[in-house]
Amino acid sequence: HSYTGYRYTSSDNYEYLEPFQLANLFLNYDLKLKNKYTIGLFFQINNIWNTEYETYINYPMPLRNYKAGLILTLNHKTKNT
C-alpha cells in the first residue's frame, strides 16, 4: 500500500495534482522438480482499489490490472576437480 500526497504543478503552488492511495498484491509459489528445475508461478494485481490517478498532469495511469506468469529456472551443478 502506498500514499502519494499533493504534487504542485505550478511555480506558485496554486495548481496541483490530487493525492492518491494505491494497493498492490503479489503472490508467488516456487516448485522444485528433481533438483534440476525450479518453476515459479506468480500472480499480481496492481491498483486493487481501481483508483483514478495521475503521476503527471494530463497523463492518467491505468486502473486495476493483472499480471500472471511462469518462470523456469534450470539448476546447473558444476563438478569440482
Side-chain angles (χ1 to χ4, degrees), residues 10-48:
S10 62
S11 59
D12 61 0
N13 291 345
Y14 184 72
E15 296 177 22
Y16 55 86
L17 294 173
E18 292 293 326
F20 60 88
Q21 296 185 48
L22 294 177
N24 301 320
L25 177 68
F26 184 82
L27 302 170
N28 183 55
Y29 180 76
D30 289 331
L31 176 64
K32 291 189 178 200
L33 301 173
K34 298 183 181 180
N35 290 330
K36 291 185 178 183
Y37 308 100
T38 302
I39 297 176
L41 303 170
F42 69 89
F43 182 72
Q44 183 174 353
I45 304 173
N46 297 313
N47 194 1
I48 291 173

